[in-house]
Amino acid sequence: MIREKELQAIEEIHKASMKILSEIGIKFGLDEVNEIFKKHGFRQENGRTFFTEEQVMHALDTATKEFTMYGRDEQYSININTEEVNYTPGYGSPMITNADGTVRDAVFDDFLKMANLFHMEKSFNVKGGIIVQPSDIAAEISIPAMVYATIKRSSKVLFGIQGNQKDQENIFKLLEITFGGKEKLKEKYRYLVLSTPTSPLKMDREALYTLMKGCEYNQPIVVCSACMPGSTAPVTIAGAVAMCNAEELAGIVLTQLINPGNPVIYLFASYGSNVQTGNASIGTPELIKAGRYGSLLAKKYGLACRCGGGLSDAKGVTAQAGVETAMCLMHNAYYKGNLVQHSAGILDSFATMSYEKLMLDFEVIDRLANYMEDIEVNENTLALKTLKKVAETEGIFLNQKHTVKNCRKAYIPQVSLRTSLPEGMDPNEQLYESMHKRMEKQLDAYVKPELDPEIEKQLDEFMLSIGMKQEDIDKI
């Protein structure tokens, strides 16, 4: 239930965001975009564009807010709305934390291995993005290479990557090949286009190229304002949220000027910051609290949103990682973050991904799904007849037919330990062994989704043409 105090707060934050947009404005880093605003009568002064509340609300009324995303295999389609929760992989980490706590650069093999694990996890019907940043793929082709690998390794809904103009052209060429050409691609929502403003109150060339290309293909635009209070935003939560909200709304207005009715998602992220060092901090209650108000603002506008994620500042798979991640994911489930980015595997303030934490985070998500389900209340679940029998005979429930019939519906963890351990056995060692067993089981069960041989051939040839090595293509 949303409390009255929360409702009052989001109204005040909304008013502040309107004031930011009308009095401070947004700086857009492309002349072409500034011309679009000029053509539609927006006030522009000193390189900044200003918005009236009427212009913002008209864009929100125009945007498509609820829609279906289609995987390459349409059994994995998902609904985007203000109620359903959809999880996406970790995103952006350049390094891997090993089981022994050491850290190394992520490589393409890590990207592919994690792609397989996310494909096998039933809670994830969205795949892609920068699962990890592979250090052994040339920077100039790494973005299309990751999209290409995701297309071939999974048939679920595709999550996008922001990049420069050439990156976006290459990505959409891959999508055209996969889905039958530009016009065919425009018919269905296949690819979530991530466009991130630069705080405070700017949208740079990469964000704008990405947004414009997505609108050209009628694909959903995920506007993601990601600020750091005290560094790239006011240090106070209310000020940071008001600023992020203004950036979100400005990006959404632009989508509707380019392609009226284009689907949009409100991807809110206000990270904590350590003002002593200037570093990001993502395991803090402040991040979660800011996400709460971001979620409520999105609901006010009728938009699907992102808040939360499986986030932690911990340097390894420790108790700290468990506390921070569980708190973030619980908040997300409660406040209905509809597209949950960075859902699993993240450590050290986005710096690393961990295979072991990936397995634990999958279990946290499973536990939350179980918790959020309503219980059934009927004659069978109330079990009054069984209770009467046990009470009158002074028996036990363990040997009752009702228990045998219903016991398998209880939650069973895939990783966590519940049975007794032999004396002297290290519980942490056993937990790690359990994580690795689950991981090996998923990897062994992975089967590469079918892809039309002619489409696969065209994808391979295109990647060769832009400079991908044959040995890396052969890995996929």
Side-chain angles (χ1 to χ4, degrees):
M1 294 292 291
I2 301 174
R3 297 177 293 119
E4 184 63 30
K5 193 170 183 179
E6 289 175 324
L7 291 173
Q8 292 173 358
I10 62 170
E11 287 305 317
E12 290 302 314
I13 292 170
H14 168 78
K15 290 176 185 177
S17 297
M18 293 302 105
K19 196 167 185 178
I20 291 167
L21 289 169
S22 64
E23 298 182 10
I24 304 174
I26 306 289
K27 185 175 182 179
F28 294 93
L30 270 182
D31 290 342
E32 183 179 349
V33 167
N34 288 314
E35 283 300 313
I36 291 171
F37 283 112
K38 182 178 178 181
K39 176 184 173 183
H40 286 87
F42 284 72
R43 180 167 66 92
Q44 294 176 312
E45 295 177 12
N46 300 319
R48 305 188 76 81
T49 299
F50 300 85
F51 302 73
T52 67
E53 185 166 6
E54 181 181 1
Q55 289 168 330
V56 171
M57 300 315 288
H58 176 70
L60 288 170
D61 288 341
T62 304
T64 297
K65 300 175 182 178
E66 296 191 0
F67 49 94
T68 300
M69 292 295 304
Y70 295 92
R72 184 161 62 79
D73 181 343
E74 295 191 2
Q75 71 168 312
Y76 296 121
S77 299
I78 62 170
N79 296 316
I80 300 293
N81 53 46
T82 59
E83 289 298 317
E84 297 183 47
V85 177
N86 298 288
Y87 294 97
T88 77
Y91 194 106
S93 301
M95 294 179 285
I96 299 290
T97 294
N98 296 315
D100 63 2
T102 58
V103 175
R104 60 176 175 81
D105 289 339
V107 295
F108 195 42
D109 284 343
D110 292 308
F111 184 97
L112 297 175
K113 185 176 178 179
M114 287 196 172
N116 292 359
L117 290 168
F118 279 110
H119 180 76
M120 291 302 297
E121 185 59 30
K122 62 179 175 35
S123 299
F124 287 74
N125 282 338
V126 181
K127 274 288 308 299
I130 306 172
I131 303 175
V132 290
Q133 178 65 56
S135 61
D136 54 343
I137 297 292
E140 60 269 20
I141 64 161
S142 67
I143 287 177
M146 287 183 277
V147 174
Y148 160 72
T150 302
I151 289 170
K152 291 185 65 173
R153 283 290 174 111
S154 183
S155 52
K156 297 184 176 183
V157 171
L158 294 167
F159 193 86
I161 305 174
Q162 180 170 297
N164 62 34
Q165 189 172 15
K166 187 63 176 176
D167 289 330
Q168 298 311 311
E169 289 171 358
N170 287 335
I171 287 170
F172 278 91
K173 179 60 178 176
L174 290 167
L175 296 174
E176 283 187 24
I177 294 169
T178 303
F179 296 110
K182 182 173 183 177
E183 294 308 311
K184 198 73 174 174
L185 177 57
K186 289 168 69 174
E187 291 175 6
K188 286 188 174 182
Y189 305 134
R190 301 283 192 180
Y191 180 73
L192 291 161
V193 179
L194 179 67
S195 177
T196 304
T198 303
S199 299
L201 303 176
K202 299 175 187 175
M203 287 193 79
D204 67 14
R205 297 168 69 88
E206 287 198 358
L208 294 169
Y209 282 133
T210 302
L211 183 149
M212 293 169 71
K213 184 60 79 170
C215 288
E216 179 186 337
Y217 283 77
N218 196 40
Q219 296 303 301
I221 305 298
V222 183
V223 182
C224 177
S225 176
C227 73
M228 286 174 55
S231 178
T232 62
V235 72
T236 49
I237 292 176
V241 172
M243 188 201 75
C244 282
N245 186 48
E247 294 172 347
E248 294 273 354
L249 294 173
I252 289 169
V253 170
L254 179 57
T255 67
Q256 301 311 301
L257 297 180
I258 296 170
N259 184 31
N262 203 101
V264 294
I265 300 176
Y266 184 107
L267 201 67
F268 181 91
S270 174
Y271 305 121
S273 59
N274 184 336
V275 293
Q276 294 174 317
T277 64
N279 294 335
S281 182
I282 63 174
T284 67
E286 288 87 356
L287 174 143
I288 299 167
K289 193 181 294 184
R292 176 171 125 205
Y293 287 94
S295 174
L296 292 173
L297 282 161
K299 301 293 188 284
K300 169 184 169 63
Y301 305 133
L303 296 169
C305 73
R306 170 265 180 110
C307 63
L311 307 180
S312 178
D313 297 315
K315 311 307 176 187
V317 184
T318 61
Q320 177 187 342
V323 169
E324 292 174 346
T325 298
M327 189 172 179
C328 283
L329 287 170
M330 184 71 183
H331 138 81
N332 183 83
Y334 187 77
Y335 278 90
K336 298 289 185 188
N338 312 111
L339 191 68
V340 190
Q341 198 178 359
H342 306 292
S343 294
I346 291 285
L347 284 173
D348 197 7
S349 311
F350 295 129
T352 76
M353 284 279 281
S354 158
Y355 288 102
E356 291 75 24
K357 185 168 183 289
L358 196 63
M359 296 298 103
L360 281 177
D361 291 350
F362 286 167
E363 181 158 306
V364 173
I365 289 168
D366 284 346
R367 286 170 178 266
L368 284 171
N370 181 280
Y371 170 76
M372 295 302 292
E373 288 177 355
D374 291 325
I375 64 169
E376 293 182 31
V377 181
N378 54 38
E379 183 179 356
N380 175 58
T381 61
L382 290 170
L384 297 182
K385 291 181 180 178
T386 302
L387 174 59
K388 183 174 185 293
K389 180 180 177 182
V390 170
E392 290 178 349
T393 62
E394 297 187 1
I396 60 173
F397 287 95
L398 193 59
N399 60 3
Q400 300 299 313
K401 290 181 180 179
H402 180 273
T403 302
V404 173
K405 182 179 178 182
N406 292 278
C407 67
R408 289 174 180 81
K409 298 176 183 178
Y411 175 79
I412 300 174
Q414 300 297 305
V415 171
S416 299
L417 306 176
R418 297 170 93 177
T419 56
S420 299
L421 296 177
E423 187 176 347
M425 186 171 286
D426 186 335
N428 286 324
E429 287 183 9
Q430 290 304 300
L431 183 60
Y432 268 80
E433 184 178 325
S434 179
M435 296 174 203
H436 291 148
K437 281 181 179 177
R438 185 182 185 192
M439 182 165 59
E440 289 162 10
K441 182 179 179 181
Q442 286 185 304
L443 291 172
D444 288 344
Y446 172 80
V447 176
K448 186 177 173 182
E450 290 186 9
L451 181 62
D452 182 284
E454 181 57 33
I455 291 174
E456 186 167 16
K457 180 173 179 287
Q458 290 180 45
L459 291 170
D460 294 347
E461 289 174 349
F462 177 75
M463 291 307 298
L464 274 172
S465 76
I466 66 170
M468 194 170 189
K469 297 176 182 177
Q470 183 65 57
E471 63 195 73
D472 291 322
I473 289 173
D474 291 341
K475 289 180 180 180
I476 307 170

